[in-house]
Amino acid sequence: MAQSTFQGTIKRRGLMLVLSSPSGAGKTTISRKLLHLEKNLTLSVSVTTRSKRPKERDGVDYHFIDQAAFDRMVEQGELLEHATVFGNAYGTPRAAVARALDQGSDVLFDIDWQGTQQVAETAREDLVSLFILPPSTGELERRLRARAQDSEDVVQGRMAKAADEMSHWAEYDYVIVNTDIAASVADAQKVLHAERLKRERQVGLRDFVEGLRTGD
Ligand code: 5GP
């Protein structure tokens, strides 16, 4: 999607794009495609105490840490938000996010509704939240099973949690029903591109307009 290169010369503060959904709604696929398509978007890599799945890489998908290290990060205020999901602790390291936003880079978060609520309380002006819904319960279950990375117990647990997770849709700025991945990715890009143009995020506008008015 074309973007004005001139607009890119005006200093801008980065935004926090949060994607949430019940597992199996397609969030991970949408995230990956967004990261591939959007140069100025980086993924916030969370810390978690859950075990690594076979295809996951430490430091790329998550930083896999133990409970003691997690507790230490909480204690020292190093996490922007944290929550327990399916019995495991997850959290967003604060420093990398602050650095990216200051540099005008946008950060993508794959976090749940608990984390989104915390970010909304502490950094509402930087937050753009997007909730992804599956087209139907049957499709959700099919996607969860096709994944086959988790045991039957875990799949059942996640199906049970999905209804609960979905009840939080109304707390989000934008909602996408993911019937088609390409269309959902395009919609997420539209949200991102529009939000980048928000006046408050274009912190260089004041100087730019001043220059226009004085003829500099
Ligand atoms: P999974 O274990 O399948 O990778 O993720 C389980 C759930 O935890 C997903 O809904 C995911 O969005 C959420 N999650 C992952 N990282 C974080 C985090 O740093 N904070 C919060 N609050 N939730 C997270």
Side-chain angles (χ1 to χ4, degrees), residues 8 46 58 76 87 100 103 187 193 200 208:
S46 296
D58 191 16
Q76 293 178 355
Q103 287 168 357
D187 284 345
H193 294 173
E200 299 84 350
F208 175 68

Side-chain angles (χ1 to χ4, degrees), residues 7-208:
Q7 190 93 38
T9 65
I10 294 173
K11 191 167 159 31
R12 180 173 74 79
R13 180 166 169 76
L15 58 82
M16 300 165 68
L17 180 64
V18 167
L19 292 194
S20 298
S21 74
S23 43
K27 177 181 52 175
T28 309
T29 312
I30 292 171
S31 302
R32 287 210 190 105
K33 288 187 188 284
L34 272 179
L35 289 165
H36 178 72
L37 290 166
E38 295 289 340
K39 273 202 312 288
N40 199 35
L41 185 68
T42 55
L43 181 68
S44 162
V45 180
S46 296
V47 291
T48 182
T49 61
R50 101 154 145 70
S51 329
K52 194 166 84 62
R53 296 187 188 127
K55 285 185 185 153
E56 288 178 328
R57 283 179 296 161
D58 191 16
V60 176
D61 299 289
Y62 284 102
H63 300 287
F64 295 94
I65 61 175
D66 61 20
Q67 190 67 51
F70 190 92
D71 293 343
R72 213 161 33 241
M73 290 185 85
V74 173
E75 216 167 276
Q76 293 178 355
E78 289 173 21
L79 298 180
L80 184 64
E81 60 74 36
H82 60 95
T84 302
V85 188
F86 310 121
N88 295 303
Y90 294 83
T92 302
R94 186 191 294 279
V97 175
R99 223 172 15 246
L101 297 186
D102 286 345
Q103 287 168 357
S105 294
D106 302 316
V107 185
L108 181 68
F109 298 77
D110 175 342
I111 63 175
D112 80 334
W113 61 270
Q114 304 174 79
T116 310
Q117 283 186 354
Q118 292 171 44
V119 175
E121 278 162 24
T122 56
R124 187 65 188 93
E125 63 284 3
D126 291 328
L127 172 67
V128 178
S129 62
L130 204 164
F131 200 83
I132 297 161
L133 289 169
S136 68
T137 315
E139 179 61 15
L140 184 68
E141 182 159 3
R142 194 191 65 70
R143 288 179 191 169
L144 272 180
R145 287 188 187 287
R147 218 191 257 183
Q149 280 200 41
D150 296 309
S151 68
E152 179 64 23
D153 270 7
V154 174
V155 171
Q156 286 307 327
R158 286 181 183 225
M159 278 306 291
K161 289 266 183 193
D164 183 45
E165 180 84 27
M166 280 189 279
S167 70
H168 292 277
W169 66 274
E171 295 158 27
Y172 285 71
D173 299 325
Y174 299 90
V175 179
I176 292 175
V177 178
N178 181 28
T179 27
D180 175 77
I181 288 283
S184 300
V185 171
D187 284 345
Q189 283 187 285
K190 286 175 206 156
V191 167
L192 180 61
H193 294 173
E195 289 284 346
R196 280 175 176 163
L197 293 176
K198 273 255 172 90
R199 187 185 65 234
E200 299 84 350
R201 298 208 164 94
Q202 300 194 66
V203 292
L205 268 184
R206 192 172 296 276
D207 287 347
F208 175 68

